[in-house]
Each structure stands twice: as structure tokens, then as C-alpha cells.
Amino acid sequence: MTSPTEAALRLPRWIPALFLLALLGLVGLTAWQWRDGPPVSANLLQLLPSGTPGELEQLAETRMQEPLNHDLMLLVRHADDVQADALASEITDTLQASGLFAQVRRSVDADLPALRRQLLEHRLALLDAASREALIAGPEAFIQQRLQRLYNPFEGNALVPVEQDWFGIADLAQRQLLQPGNVQAGLDGHLTAEYQGQRWAVIHARTHGDAFDDSLPLQVERLVTELRDRANASQGELLAAGGLLYAAHGQRQAREEASLIGSISLIASLGLLHLLFRTPRVLLVALPVAVGALSGAAACIALFGQIHVLTLVLGASLVGVSIDFPLHYLSKSWTLQPWHSHRALRLTLPGLFLALATNVIGYLAMAFTPFPALSQVAVFSAAGLAGAFACATCLLPWLLSAPLQPWPTPLGWAERWLKLRRALLGRIPTPWLLAVFVLFCTGGLLQVSFKDDLRQWVSRAPALQEQAMRIGEITGFQPTSQYFLVRAASTDELLASQEALATRLDDLVAERKLSGYLALSQLAAPTAAQENLQLALPHLLEASAPLLALGVSKGQLENELATLQAQSIPTLEQVLAGPLGEPWRPLWLGSQQDGSVAGLVSLQGLKDSTALAGLTEDLAGVSLIDRPAELNALFADTKTQAATLKAIAAALILLLLCLPFGWRGAARCLAVPLLAALGSLACLGWLGQSLTLFGLFGLLLVTAIGVDYAILMREQVGGAAVSLVGTLLAATTTWLSFGLLALSSTPAVSNFGLSVSLGLLFSFLLAPWAISSQPQPKARSQHGAT
């Protein structure tokens, strides 16, 4: 039966009713948001700031990223060539039948008449610069080289018949056209690559969707796994590479980690609470966790349209923080007997409000950085904490109204710990301990390295990386993230600029710093160069005596000359439209709104991006696009912003704490998490760990979460010993979340978890220093005032 005192302490009954109504609305909103499937994204690009300043740069980046997002490359090998061919055909048929791919190509369906037609019509445009210069400067030598090719038995396979190309211009253009990579078409048209005495069948597939679709990457991964098993069973070998496989690995790893971290931390926390409070009713503290997760996900989807898997992994750590709210008043049951949940809530409610406010300040500080990744985590966490707080204060006290009799032993441990602390401070003054701590931190800070790399944002996939490297070595296709964007007033100027850049890239290729490159200037000559060729063509006729001696009639040569002079000069777009222009077609960005034109130069097998420094010097309109370098530089700039945000967040928390504790008490409380963050940073140095951007934001969160422990110790509701027990419980449940994050396969997440875990450890150890140095009134215990 409820006593009059307990009834007086209860909050109004309309509060839980209103909360349940709001919870019902939240569930309805979540169901509506998920009506078309999980709005979960694995697109890493969505987490990065859009640092590109204009539409042209965005178009260039999209064009360069397209193969990564859509293409899948498979290589098949077998010791027996017949079985290899059969296996490759079987795999090709399976890929086509899956319905996942818009195109599956194992062979070249070359339209030979179209190739011959383009070689004849565009032969002057297709001729490279060296051959153009040779023709103009020495027509006699040009004719002699033509004769050598005609008499050379190894110079066959010309697409254009000799009788249509007596001067050999089309033949020379065909031979000099760059064949990207080591992939060649056999006599049967099948694509193959020879490497170290092994013959690989090459299969190229392009999906309907991209690598960041919700289900497509996982479907492709399952299909590739099935095909690899089939190849292994046939004593063959299959290699596969593509952004789809990396996306599938990232999706699966992130979802597994989010599920595992959330489940283990929740089960371990609930198991610990059941052990301490010795009643299954205490397991209801999982309700704030569930409400917090729903609130965070709903807020993210509402603001961003979807939620990223990396946010889910980091958001899983919210479990430990959400449980802290009910633990604040549950821990008072060690001294506040007989236990009344509403009385404990009334006593701890000011501290709960402070804990919520300081945590939200810490999380929302991340929202003001230029990184959408951190903004999502900030929104998820802030909204999640608000939902967990509402559940812990508006519903849970009614569900936990039964008497509690916790296991008394932890209280004895806390009392002995506080007694040992007082004895230590009696022997060693606080300034001396602080000096030792400063020396420890100084030594660690001197060893801290600051490193950020975009690759830290994705989980490690050694098997995929190994296969991608092997495929790159075998096929010669080793695309890089760096490329050149060339702008010019006209197409001729564009080709001239790319040709000047190509000369410098040739030096890198000769130095083996670069495997190769693709530039539009390799395909087509500028209009002026083609006009100069047409003017020099009559000199070929004058030097054609060797051809006449061979039996070619003068009329035949005159007819060919007349044909060449009558041909209209093709534009770059016309050359690209032909079948020979396919490899270069993605590099053409076309005409822009201001009348200028733009094109790209892609790179292959770049050993070190620093080799590109200075290549664009004195080349007007040519700019190096190095997105990873831009982002890494932005990481460094953001660290400075983070330090500023940390200072602002600390100042806001200080002002907030001045209201209940005064400026001295507020400074004492804030010193705890700030020193804890310093200790965590020093530990990173001692452990040889670098401080990443995510690690720095982990330290920012320590400022918010760690101050809760200081507030709990400062208020001393129920006494110092029980406050220490509550601090230990809150720290333990939070450690169970962030500690598991430190084991993540994603380096950025792991660094984040390690930074926060170390910071929380120091926060707990330093929390008793938040206790006022002035004599405290007798602790509220058996019948504390309300």
C-alpha cells in the first residue's frame, strides 16, 4: 500500500501518460521513415565535406568515381586453357542471369567496319605529335618507314587495307593508339591478360545501381563468393575487385559491430545491475536505451534523410551513457532507505538535468564542424540522450517503485577507497600529486603523433586489398585518386595544355614513379595541327618514288592525296564518338556555361602523390585534383576548430555549473574532465597511438561525459561513498560501450573508442577531487529531505 509520504513525493500522473503518448508518436514516425526499407547508407562520400567549389569540380569527381561505384573486375585462371575458357563462360552466364548487372563483357564486340571507317576518316586527327612532326619535317623518311612496315612480316593485323592507305597514315595511327593496361583481345575476341607466364580470362561487369545502394553490394558479394567457390571446386582461381565489394565489407562489418557492441554492452550492463540490485525489475533500465536509440535514429533520418552505418557503430556507445540517468537515482538505494524511486528522483533531478545539459553541449559541439560524419553522430547522440532522459525521468520511476535492497559490499569498498584517498592526501599534498600527473602528461604529450587519413574511415579488408593489388599487377589497371582537371577557352587550347602536361608525365613514367596516364591529347590532334598536316601532304607525293618503284601507280597515290585533302577536319567530340574513342570518352567534360571547355587527365599506378607537385606550374588552366590530400589537410584544419569548440563547450559548461555550485565549485567540477582529457591524450602518446580527428572529438566528449561524475560527487546525495558507487556504476556501463569501440576494425572508430575510454578512466579516478574543500553538511541518508 502506498504511504502518504510516498504519494506526496510522486510526480503528477499526467507526466507518464504524456510520455507514453510521445513515445507512441516516435514509434509511428520511425515506422513511417522505414516504410520503404532501412534508410541506412554506406556511402563514405556522404560523410565527407563537399570541398569542391563548383559544379565542374563536382562533375569531374563524379566522373572519376563512377567506375569505382559501378564496375566489377573478375579474373579467371585455370591450368588447362580449355577448362579456363569453359569456367569463364560459365561465370559470365551466371553474372548475366543474376539480373544485377547492366553489362557483362568478356569479349570485344568490335564493329570492324566502324573501326576502319574511323581510321580512314580521322587518320590525320589520330596521328600522334611525333609522327606529325616526322611527316612535315621529313616526308622522304616517312615514306621509307612506311616501306619497312610493309616488308616487315611482324607488322601485320592492319585494319585498313593497304590499297586504301598507301601512305600508311591510318596504319601508323592504329599502331600508335595507346592500349590501356595489359588486357588484350584474342583471336576469338575474348579479353585476356598474360602475367608471369599465366593466362587470365578477364570479365568486366557494370551494375545497374552503385556501390552505395543498400542491398546491391551485399548481393554482389554473395554472388562473387559463390563464383569463387565454384572456381575453387574446379581447381581454378578467381580474383575480384571493385568498390562494390569494399562497400559490402563495410556495410556488413559496421552492422555486425553496431549489433555486437550494442548487445554486449547492454547485456553486460544489465547483468551487472542485476547482480548489484538483486531483482529482475532493475532490467527495466534498458527502456531508456531503446528510447534513446529510437530518438537518435529518427532525428538523424529526419535531418539528413538517412543514417550512415558509421553513425550506427558510434551510436552504439550511447548504451552506456543512456543507462547513467537511471543509475544516478538507483545508486542512492544504498543509503536512502526505505527506498522510494520518486524521492530519489527528486533528490537527483537537478544533477540529472546538469548531466543532460553538459552531455548535449559536448555532443552538439561536433555539429559545428565541416564534417557531416560528426554532425550525424552529434545529432544522433544529442537526440538519443534527450529521449533516454525523458524515459528515465517520466516513466521509469513508476516502473521501479518497488523497494530495493542492493548488495551492500560495494558501499563498503567505496568507503575504504575514500578512506585510503584521505590517508594518501594526508601523506602527499595535492600539489605534489598534481606535479606527478603533469610530468606524466608532459612525457606522453611529447610522444603524441597527429595523423589523419581517409583510409582510417573504412574497416580493414586485407583480403580485398590483396586481390585488388594482384588484379592491378596482372591487368595494368591501377587507377589513382589523383587526376588533373584542364580548362581552356577552346578545344585546341585544351589539347595543347594536355599535351604540355603529358610531356611532364612522360618523365614520371620514365622514372617509374607513374605507370601511365590517359589524356585526350593522346587521341586527337588540335585543328591547327591537322591543317598543317594537310598542307604538308603534297610533299608526300613528291617523295613517293619508293612507292612507285614498288608498283603503286601515281594515280592511286594522287587519289589518296585528294581524299585526304578533301576530308573535313574532325572535332574532338567527333573523334570521341567513334569506337576508337571509348577509353578516352569519360575524360571529356564538354563545353561549360561560360563557353570554355574542360577535360581530365587520369593517372595509373602512381607510386607517391608528392611526385605530382609542381607539374602544373606555368600551365594555365591545369589543376591537380588530389581529393585525399585535400581531405587530409581539412582534417588538420578541423582539429584547430575542434580545439576551439572544446574551449567553447568547456566555457558553456562552466557557466552552467556556476548556477548550482558557484564559480569555485564549477571550476573544480570542470577541472576533472579537462585533466582526464589531458591524461587520455598523454596515454595515447605513451601507447604509441596517433591522435586522429575522431580521437580528438572523443576527448571533446570526455569533457561532457566526465563532468557527470564530478557533479555526482559534488552533490553527494546519500553521502560521498554512495556517490562514488554511483560514479563507478556509470563509468563501468560507459566503459562497456566505448571500450568495445576501441576493438573496432575501423581505425577511426577504434581511435575514438580508445580516447573516450581512457578519458573516462581518468574521470572516475579524479572525480573525488570535485568534492568541496569546505566542510560538508551531514549527508542526506535514511530520511533525506526532498
Side-chain angles (χ1 to χ4, degrees), residues 10-70:
R10 286 184 180 274
L11 296 174
R13 292 185 177 275
W14 58 265
I15 291 181
L18 183 62
F19 172 79
L20 289 174
L21 183 62
L23 181 60
L24 184 61
L26 176 63
V27 172
L29 173 62
T30 301
W32 182 81
Q33 290 175 333
W34 292 62
R35 66 192 183 281
D36 297 323
V40 180
S41 170
N43 188 347
L44 182 62
L45 299 178
Q46 293 177 353
L47 296 182
L48 302 176
S50 54
T52 52
E55 293 183 4
L56 181 59
E57 287 80 2
Q58 293 177 6
L59 173 61
E61 186 171 347
T62 302
R63 189 70 60 83
M64 296 302 293
Q65 288 291 333
E66 189 173 351
L68 177 66
N69 297 341
H70 291 271

Side-chain angles (χ1 to χ4, degrees), residues 4-280:
T5 302
E6 184 180 356
L9 292 171
R10 286 184 180 274
L11 296 174
R13 292 185 177 275
W14 58 265
I15 291 181
L18 183 62
F19 172 79
L20 289 174
L21 183 62
L23 181 60
L24 184 61
L26 176 63
V27 172
L29 173 62
T30 301
W32 182 81
Q33 290 175 333
W34 292 62
R35 66 192 183 281
D36 297 323
V40 180
S41 170
N43 188 347
L44 182 62
L45 299 178
Q46 293 177 353
L47 296 182
L48 302 176
S50 54
T52 52
E55 293 183 4
L56 181 59
E57 287 80 2
Q58 293 177 6
L59 173 61
E61 186 171 347
T62 302
R63 189 70 60 83
M64 296 302 293
Q65 288 291 333
E66 189 173 351
L68 177 66
N69 297 341
H70 291 271
D71 290 3
L72 180 69
M73 179 76 76
L74 298 101
L75 301 187
V76 183
R77 184 187 67 84
H78 197 283
D80 183 272
D81 287 345
V82 176
Q83 292 192 41
D85 185 70
L87 183 59
S89 297
E90 181 183 350
I91 290 174
T92 302
D93 294 340
T94 303
L95 292 173
Q96 291 173 334
S98 69
L100 301 176
F101 301 94
Q103 180 188 61
V104 179
R105 188 172 65 172
R106 187 201 163 194
S107 59
V108 177
D109 295 327
D111 186 348
L112 294 181
L115 288 171
R116 293 191 187 99
R117 185 165 54 252
Q118 184 175 14
L119 279 170
L120 282 172
E121 294 176 356
H122 297 166
R123 58 185 124 174
L124 296 181
L126 295 171
L127 209 58
D128 70 336
S131 298
R132 295 195 304 267
E133 293 173 2
L135 188 154
I136 295 172
E140 295 84 1
F142 189 88
I143 294 296
Q144 288 296 331
Q145 291 173 3
R146 171 56 170 163
L147 288 176
Q148 292 174 9
R149 293 196 302 273
L150 285 173
Y151 283 113
N152 190 339
F154 301 103
E155 294 282 353
N157 298 326
L159 290 175
V160 177
V162 175
E163 57 271 18
Q164 293 180 302
D165 186 36
W166 290 114
F167 292 120
I169 297 177
D171 175 64
L172 190 58
Q174 175 191 339
R175 298 177 190 282
Q176 293 174 342
L177 273 179
L178 180 66
Q179 297 295 325
N182 302 327
V183 179
Q184 302 291 334
L187 296 177
D188 55 2
H190 291 167
L191 297 173
T192 60
E194 300 282 344
Y195 184 73
Q196 294 183 345
Q198 295 179 335
R199 179 179 175 273
W200 295 82
V202 179
I203 303 172
H204 175 263
R206 169 157 291 200
T207 58
H208 292 287
D210 62 31
F212 304 118
D213 286 353
D214 181 52
S215 59
L216 178 61
L218 294 174
Q219 291 176 312
V220 172
E221 182 188 53
R222 286 193 294 268
L223 181 59
V224 169
T225 301
E226 175 190 331
L227 294 175
R228 182 176 290 111
D229 292 341
R230 194 181 303 176
N232 293 338
S234 302
Q235 306 301 313
E237 184 178 5
L238 183 143
L239 302 178
L244 290 146
L245 300 180
Y246 282 99
H249 175 82
Q251 281 189 38
R252 190 184 65 257
Q253 198 76 22
R255 290 173 181 176
E256 289 176 357
E257 286 183 359
S259 176
L260 184 65
I261 291 172
S263 301
I264 291 179
S265 59
L266 181 59
I267 292 172
S269 298
L270 294 179
L272 176 63
L273 296 181
H274 185 269
L275 174 66
L276 293 176
F277 293 101
R278 301 185 294 187
T279 173

Side-chain angles (χ1 to χ4, degrees), residues 521-568:
S521 59
Q522 294 169 324
L523 176 68
T527 301
Q530 296 182 58
E531 291 174 345
N532 290 336
L533 268 182
Q534 282 189 331
L535 293 175
L537 288 176
H539 299 296
L540 282 181
L541 186 60
E542 297 170 3
S544 62
L547 289 175
L548 295 174
L550 188 64
V552 183
S553 68
K554 187 175 182 180
Q556 289 175 310
L557 296 179
E558 289 175 344
N559 289 337
E560 183 173 334
L561 177 61
T563 301
L564 287 170
Q565 290 178 321
Q567 284 179 345
S568 61

